[in-house]
Amino acid sequence: NSINHISGFARELTKRGHTCMVAVPDGPPTLTAVPDPAFRATTFEDLLAKVDCFPDGRPADILHAWTPRESVRRFVLRYRQLAPSRIIVHLEDNEEHLVSQYMETPFEALKNLDPLDYPKPLVHGLPHPIRYRTLLRLADGITVIVPPLRRFVPAGVAVLDLPPGVDFEFYRPLSLDSDLRSELGLRAEEKVIAYTGSNTFANEQEILELYLAVQTLNQRGVPTRLIRTGINSPQFLAMLPSDWKAWTLDLGFIDKNRLPALLSLSDVLVQPGKVGDFNDYRLPSKLPEFLASGRPVI
């Protein structure tokens, strides 16, 4: 999902004469989701091995760290040791809430623990409870996906609201594809709700509520099929009601080009969730795509 946002910004920057590179931790398979990218793709290790990586033989002028999570933080500091670059950090989640949920420990308690005493090992895909704040203080500027995230910006650091763009040539209202309905085995009387996203430890309870809502619709005599795309953890699948396969079409991880047609099949699109420390500080990446599809959105 992040690469969908990043690629749009890279395209606009390229139009303005900038050269953009996108570096990822472990290899570029996810970058293949972007058709005709306006950036060069690389990995953290390759970029550290050749910091003078741009066509003019210079290093990066600006490192835009897409979240302050540990793998990104380590890369940014290693690169900056080799080449002086400005640092901008992007915030798109309440990082303190995420690491607190993962550790199953209040954040204030985590801050005072020795890392050896953390209830779970730190993972690179989450922020370090203390060091992530150091990166924010080092930043020349910070971008936030929604304004409430400004509360995490250290005093004196420049901040800019940076909501994601949408490719309206790709995500747009489409006519209902009757052939696709037939291909997927949807009955004429069935309502459809498509949910195009994977589950994580942070959102699994919310997605579970969506499944239970679809189960309730069917139990109340409203035939409804939930179309899912993305990856599900074994723990999440174990939480589902025993009859979930009867009213769910799980397509797994699919090519991005198939998503607009699936959205067009939906009678309604639902982003589950409630107010709180998770949702108040984020913009679910599916919402702009849902809204651009022209279907009703809850």
Side-chain angles (χ1 to χ4, degrees):
N1 288 322
S2 289
I3 196 60
N4 292 333
H5 297 179
I6 292 167
S7 64
F9 293 128
R11 189 173 305 282
E12 294 304 313
L13 287 167
T14 300
K15 290 178 182 177
R16 289 163 168 76
H18 299 280
T19 303
C20 299
M21 297 189 71
V22 175
V24 294
D26 303 313
T30 56
L31 301 180
T32 61
V34 181
D36 190 26
F39 56 80
R40 291 174 56 196
T42 186
T43 64
F44 287 175
E45 289 303 319
D46 287 347
L47 208 53
L48 291 170
K50 181 175 172 52
V51 294
D52 301 332
C53 52
F54 283 86
D56 59 4
R58 294 167 52 193
D61 295 310
I62 297 172
L63 294 172
H64 199 160
W66 208 260
T67 80
R69 295 176 190 173
E70 189 61 1
S71 62
V72 178
R73 186 193 69 84
R74 291 187 178 194
F75 164 74
V76 165
L77 295 183
R78 287 174 65 193
Y79 188 92
R80 204 183 190 198
Q81 286 178 335
L82 300 172
S85 305
R86 296 293 184 98
I87 297 175
I88 298 175
V89 180
H90 184 60
L91 297 178
E92 59 182 14
D93 281 296
N94 181 343
E95 301 290 348
E96 296 179 3
H97 173 74
L98 291 182
V99 72
S100 173
Q101 288 289 102
Y102 172 75
M103 292 287 187
E104 300 177 340
T105 305
F107 187 77
E108 289 302 314
L110 278 177
K111 284 174 28 179
N112 297 315
L113 284 178
D114 185 294
L116 294 176
D117 296 325
Y118 288 160
K120 295 180 181 179
L122 277 170
V123 294
H124 285 183
L126 287 172
H128 188 289
I130 297 172
R131 294 174 185 163
Y132 102 94
R133 295 288 302 175
T134 303
L135 180 62
L136 298 185
R137 286 191 289 269
L138 284 173
D140 297 283
I142 292 175
T143 56
V144 294
I145 196 169
V146 288
L149 285 166
R150 286 172 171 255
R151 64 162 280 206
F152 298 106
V153 176
V157 178
V159 59
L160 174 75
D161 295 346
L162 189 68
V166 179
D167 184 350
F168 289 112
E169 293 183 4
F170 189 70
Y171 291 104
R172 66 187 192 279
L174 298 175
S175 301
L176 178 66
D177 190 335
S178 300
D179 291 339
L180 180 58
R181 275 191 69 101
S182 300
E183 177 188 330
L184 295 176
L186 300 171
R187 301 189 305 274
E189 73 277 10
E190 276 187 311
K191 303 294 185 183
V192 174
I193 300 174
Y195 186 80
T196 53
S198 298
N199 89 273
T200 69
F201 73 91
N203 69 6
E204 62 185 13
Q205 286 296 328
E206 297 179 350
I207 301 180
L208 175 61
E209 288 185 358
L210 176 59
Y211 275 78
L212 296 178
V214 174
Q215 181 190 45
T216 300
L217 283 169
N218 283 282
Q219 290 173 344
R220 293 181 178 177
V222 183
T224 306
R225 190 80 68 98
L226 175 64
I227 298 180
R228 274 296 313 278
T229 70
I231 298 170
N232 295 312
S233 69
Q235 296 90 330
F236 175 73
L237 294 176
M239 297 166 60
L240 296 180
S242 59
D243 62 340
W244 71 274
K245 292 184 179 180
W247 35 263
T248 303
L249 182 61
D250 194 331
L251 301 179
F253 194 84
I254 66 171
D255 189 273
K256 180 183 174 183
N257 289 327
R258 296 179 62 190
L259 294 182
L262 288 177
L263 296 182
S264 74
L265 294 181
S266 297
D267 292 279
V268 65
L269 295 161
V270 181
Q271 172 57 49
K274 60 184 179 181
V275 297
D277 288 338
F278 180 47
N279 285 307
D280 289 0
Y281 295 93
R282 74 185 192 115
L283 176 66
S285 57
K286 293 168 291 301
L287 269 184
E289 299 164 2
F290 282 4
L291 294 164
S293 73
R295 307 307 300 150
V297 178
I298 298 176

